[in-house]
Amino acid sequence: SYELTQPPSVSVSPGQTASITCSGDDLGDKYVSWYQQKPGQSPVLVIYQDNKRPSGIPERFSGSNSGNTATLTISGTQPMDEADYYCQAWDTSSASNYVFGTGTEVTV
Amino acid sequence: QVQLQESGPGQVKPSETLSLTCVVSGYSINSGYYWGWIRQSPGKGLEWIGWISHRAATFYNSSLKGRVTVSLDTSKNQFSLKLSSVTAADTAVYYCARGAGATTGGYFDSWGRGTLVTVSS
């Protein structure tokens, strides 16, 4: 089955840039979304279709996707950005077509 | 703005059927989008369960081995999840969400708050 692998944790100082990777076979051929989940809350969509931001998501969140790796970048990271982040892609060959990444805990 | 709210029993006995409902407000579910269920086991990641389109076409995570049924009730603007033959492994927070189609990436742009379902006798 298709798998998306993320680093378990990323640590960043306030004001610095955090980069979270998501790896999967030929991931660049698929659309990737990213979700932010704070403790006790439901996930929030922060990036869709690789690099689009939903209304209300700060410009410091950006995304890219090429080859086998998608990246979520948080520029000028703020303490409020501390959360778990999950990537997600749709894979037609997988039993679970909506595939979520393993998740990354971002500590600011 | 669309809002989703899950409801259902917080505890289900092993081998029985888990049933949840998601009431949608702010958007008519037969107007478009896909309406899905995702779960998260305690301390774990997200797992997609299945979705139903506004035209009632369904698609499920085949790893759940045919135990899943998602249905639509347009008269009440809600959709439902049934998961049969549950075990302790089905204990999780269950979320309902609105999704875009696969051709646009299948992202979920609105989520309910989630409801914890515990499988225990």
Side-chain angles (χ1 to χ4, degrees):
Chain A
S1 62
Y2 194 75
E3 295 182 352
L4 295 175
T5 302
Q6 301 177 233
S9 61
V10 166
S11 183
V12 59
S13 299
Q16 299 304 302
T17 296
S19 293
I20 306 161
T21 58
C22 174
S23 299
D25 290 342
D26 298 321
L27 187 57
D29 295 337
K30 311 176 195 307
Y31 277 132
V32 173
S33 309
W34 290 89
Y35 302 87
Q36 175 195 70
Q37 185 179 33
K38 297 181 179 180
Q41 298 184 19
S42 52
V44 173
L45 180 70
V46 293
I47 292 289
Y48 68 101
Q49 292 181 354
D50 297 340
N51 53 24
K52 295 182 171 62
R53 279 179 293 104
S55 174
I57 299 302
E59 290 184 7
R60 63 180 181 274
F61 288 89
S62 63
S64 63
N65 183 22
S66 179
N68 294 323
T69 302
T71 302
L72 174 68
T73 301
I74 312 173
S75 304
T77 308
Q78 299 186 8
M80 68 173 64
D81 300 329
E82 189 164 282
D84 292 332
Y85 290 83
Y86 294 90
C87 59
Q88 179 238 314
W90 169 268
D91 178 69
T92 56
S93 65
S94 174
S96 171
N97 295 83
Y98 278 85
V99 181
F100 287 97
T102 50
T104 298
E105 180 180 22
V106 171
T107 301
V108 181
Chain B
Q1 183 179 358
V2 62
Q3 293 186 322
L4 301 93
Q5 178 65 57
E6 306 88 349
S7 64
Q11 184 167 328
V12 181
K13 291 183 170 56
S15 80
E16 295 190 346
T17 296
L18 178 160
S19 296
L20 296 174
T21 297
C22 180
V23 176
V24 180
S25 57
Y27 188 87
S28 176
I29 61 174
N30 59 10
S31 295
Y33 286 97
Y34 294 79
W35 304 94
W37 291 94
I38 301 100
R39 69 180 181 180
Q40 186 171 34
S41 300
K44 302 293 186 182
L46 300 166
E47 179 184 28
W48 173 69
I49 298 170
W51 52 245
I52 187 166
S53 75
H54 68 288
R55 295 182 179 180
T58 53
F59 204 88
Y60 303 132
N61 184 340
S62 59
S63 68
L64 293 171
K65 299 177 183 178
R67 297 191 294 131
V68 179
T69 302
V70 179
S71 59
L72 215 56
D73 185 342
T74 56
S75 67
K76 296 181 180 178
N77 213 45
Q78 65 186 36
F79 61 105
S80 299
L81 168 70
K82 290 188 186 300
L83 181 65
S84 63
S85 305
V86 298
T87 68
D90 296 310
T91 293
V93 174
Y94 286 75
Y95 297 99
C96 61
R98 185 178 76 170
T103 56
T104 55
Y107 56 89
F108 296 101
D109 66 354
S110 298
W111 295 63
R113 292 187 174 184
T115 186
L116 174 63
V117 179
T118 302
V119 179
S120 173
S121 55

